Amino acid sequence: MRALPATAPAAPPPPLTPDNLALALRGALSPAADVRVPYEAALQAWEAAPGLYASALLKVYESNAAAGGAGGGVPEPERLLAVLCLKAVVNRRWNERRPGDAALSDSEKADVRARLLRACDEKEGALAAQVRPGDTRGPGRAPTTPGGTRSPGAAGDGCGLGTHWTCRHGLD
């Protein structure tokens, strides 16, 4: 794959293509700031622009399932970053908050709704914790505080994207 072109702060991002998105997700995970920063800027620019960014992020997330979960899919760290970016898009762009801010289109919202429901069957623990509510570690294994009470982020606290979806946006 080729590298994303370096962009000045005011320059538009490269086109949102599956290859550019996969490359940006991979680059945004780099520990080297000089490598990471341009990719993070591209992800932020794609989020702010009208388009199909949320659907593209879901496609990256879903690619591992389509590949059978082993071999030809997207690595888990990139899938996790795609889900985290998707959560940010849903939180910030579901509805127009300020005039001029791009909100997700009705067709993209419908696409995200339909595809998000299928994500609730995620097997990878870190990904499952982000896409569905509840503790993915099994019964009786919720994290606790030293006093024995459930800690924030424990099962049923509504921290997953699935809970955000049903509680804040509904499924209709």
Side-chain angles (χ1 to χ4, degrees):
M1 284 198 179
R2 66 190 190 290
L4 284 178
T7 59
L16 177 59
T17 65
D19 286 341
N20 282 346
L21 180 58
L23 185 62
L25 290 167
R26 190 173 312 115
L29 293 169
S30 173
D34 60 327
V35 173
R36 184 181 63 248
V37 169
Y39 295 108
E40 289 174 339
L43 293 171
Q44 290 171 348
W46 288 326
E47 178 189 333
L52 298 175
Y53 181 59
S55 294
L57 289 167
L58 267 170
K59 186 171 185 170
V60 169
Y61 164 73
E62 293 167 340
S63 68
N64 200 50
V74 175
E76 185 177 345
E78 293 165 30
R79 292 179 67 221
L80 180 58
L81 182 55
V83 168
L84 294 172
C85 290
L86 177 63
K87 286 177 73 171
V89 169
V90 167
N91 281 326
R92 293 191 287 245
R93 305 285 176 187
W94 194 258
N95 297 307
E96 184 178 351
R97 294 187 180 190
R98 292 182 298 246
D101 279 355
L104 296 178
S105 68
D106 290 341
S107 62
E108 188 168 18
K109 288 178 188 179
D111 182 50
V112 169
R113 279 186 193 109
R115 293 166 65 193
L116 187 60
L117 291 175
R118 291 191 300 260
C120 289
D121 193 31
E122 177 59 51
K123 305 290 186 255
E124 298 291 335
L127 288 161
Q130 297 301 320
V131 298
R132 69 173 184 239
D135 188 0
T136 60
R137 292 168 291 196
R141 296 175 59 191
T144 59
T145 61
T149 59
R150 293 167 62 104
S151 65
D157 74 344
C159 64
L161 184 57
T163 297
H164 171 82
W165 192 265
T166 56
C167 295
R168 294 190 184 160
H169 303 296
L171 292 175
D172 48 32

